[in-house]
Amino acid sequence: MDKKEQKKLMKAKIPCTETGIEIKRTVCNVCCSAFYCGQLAYIKDGKIIKVEGDPDHPLNRGFLCTKGLSTRQYIYSPKRIKTPMKNVGGNLVPISWDEAYSIIAQKLNEIRQSYGPEAVAFYSGIEKWYQPFLQRLSYSFGSPNFCNASGTCFEAVHMAWKLSAGRLGLADSANAGCYVAFSFNQFYSRSLDAVLMEKKRKTGLKFIVIDPRKTPAVDRFADIHLQNYPGTDGAVALGMAHILIRDNHIDNDFIKNHVYGFEQYAEYVKGFDPETVASIAGIKAEDLERAVALMAS
């Protein structure tokens, strides 16, 4: 093979003996462990030169979102911190891991001795795999103050489910006739869900989207878009409950046997009639009525 042909193969990133490019199977590590999508990494001289979705991976089946496709950019970013950094006179300078561990251990023991272990909070960022180990370290140290990014993400959902139903539940979208979504932006944040929603839409699933913005998902899916003011999702939800209870679109037998505090809740949502919600959320009262009618049908 002449150099011209070899150059063409390299430009196209074709894996073969002539280019020295190999394909390695791996996973995207940007999201949490529930979304480790399969990747094919094209490797040349130990460096990733291209990534694409793995068509044989059971989760994403070849699909990658923009985050997964940006793998090379964040792996090889010059802004990545690769060693511990110490503040010396206002400047961050690299230090060894041994020095960093020694400083951290000394400081932790000093704080525990002077103020008690509960004076320390352990916090983890978005990376998920090491969080159980950090939590065990926190409790072994004697501090219950373990926090992570899930506190502003999935953990809030988890707590809401546990408080209202006793355990975590999942949407039964396979058997649903209507999908109610708050801040629905799947093409950017949950791309695999967008693929699933595309399929469900074709089978007749109806969508009600409550979102201040007009996202691509609104354009693609929404049968009804309630474009409310930011921060008023709760008022819209309570307004929906008001209409459902008012028009008796509820499962009275289930409520009687399994729901605690329904009478108090029903009394509370009386204050969220469609006109009141319209004034709070900036939507039309008739649109709220239309959305709940679609839910009920």
Side-chain angles (χ1 to χ4, degrees):
M1 179 180 290
D2 58 31
K3 290 185 177 179
K4 188 175 181 180
E5 288 296 320
Q6 189 177 20
K7 191 175 181 180
K8 285 183 179 178
L9 291 174
M10 278 298 301
K11 188 175 181 180
K13 299 182 175 65
I14 303 298
C16 60
T17 305
E18 289 77 12
T19 60
I21 298 173
E22 296 181 280
I23 294 180
K24 300 289 186 181
R25 279 193 160 86
T26 183
V27 294
C28 176
N29 194 37
V30 177
C31 298
C32 69
S33 54
F35 299 99
Y36 281 168
C37 295
Q39 284 186 338
L40 299 179
Y42 287 64
I43 308 296
K44 169 71 173 174
D45 299 328
K47 189 172 182 178
I48 300 173
I49 61 171
K50 172 186 172 181
V51 295
E52 61 186 19
D54 184 350
D56 295 325
H57 194 278
L59 178 63
N60 60 312
R61 302 187 185 280
F63 181 85
L64 279 183
C65 73
T66 52
K67 291 179 285 187
L69 292 170
S70 302
T71 294
R72 290 178 61 253
Q73 283 92 321
Y74 83 79
I75 286 180
Y76 300 120
S77 170
K79 296 181 180 180
R80 280 190 68 187
I81 297 175
K82 300 177 181 178
T83 63
M85 307 289 281
K86 182 181 179 182
N87 190 328
V88 179
N91 296 312
L92 293 174
V93 297
I95 60 174
S96 70
W97 284 101
D98 286 341
E99 184 180 356
Y101 287 140
S102 178
I103 293 171
I104 293 169
Q106 180 184 345
K107 292 288 186 184
L108 286 174
N109 285 328
E110 286 177 358
I111 294 170
R112 179 164 58 181
Q113 186 172 358
S114 299
Y115 307 104
E118 293 186 7
V120 176
F122 293 79
Y123 183 86
S124 168
I126 191 62
E127 193 58 73
K128 303 289 184 181
W129 66 267
Y130 65 78
Q131 288 187 5
F133 312 126
L134 183 62
Q135 186 171 19
R136 293 183 73 175
L137 172 63
S138 172
Y139 291 172
S140 298
F141 181 77
S143 172
N145 305 317
F146 171 77
C147 313
N148 57 48
S150 295
T152 55
C153 185
F154 183 74
E155 192 57 36
V157 176
H158 194 187
M159 288 180 67
W161 269 104
K162 287 195 289 186
L163 288 168
S164 60
R167 58 171 293 177
L168 178 65
L170 296 173
D172 185 18
S173 56
N175 296 301
C178 184
Y179 193 103
V180 181
F182 288 81
S183 299
F184 194 58
N185 198 19
Q186 310 300 72
F187 289 100
Y188 286 83
S189 58
R190 295 279 297 259
S191 302
L192 291 178
D193 279 358
V195 176
L196 177 63
M197 294 300 104
E198 288 272 21
K199 294 178 181 178
K200 297 299 180 184
R201 186 88 168 88
K202 292 176 182 177
T203 63
L205 182 65
K206 301 298 183 183
F207 287 85
I208 300 167
V209 180
I210 301 95
D211 198 324
R213 299 176 302 164
K214 193 173 183 181
T215 66
V218 168
D219 288 332
R220 197 71 164 263
F221 297 128
D223 294 281
I224 297 175
H225 176 206
L226 299 177
Q227 194 169 13
N228 60 322
Y229 295 144
T232 62
D233 289 356
V236 174
L238 292 167
M240 288 178 161
H242 171 98
I243 299 171
L244 288 168
I245 295 171
R246 182 198 70 191
D247 297 345
N248 200 33
H249 293 308
I250 54 177
D251 188 338
N252 288 290
D253 288 338
F254 181 87
I255 291 169
K256 180 180 178 181
N257 294 312
H258 301 289
V259 178
Y260 174 79
F262 177 76
E263 293 78 10
Q264 294 90 331
Y265 178 73
E267 185 63 31
Y268 179 70
V269 301
K270 286 181 180 178
F272 291 88
D273 58 88
E275 289 72 24
T276 299
V277 173
S279 66
I280 295 171
I283 60 175
K284 293 180 179 179
E286 55 266 33
D287 288 342
L288 186 65
E289 294 273 9
R290 192 161 54 93
V292 177
L294 179 60
M295 289 171 60
S297 64

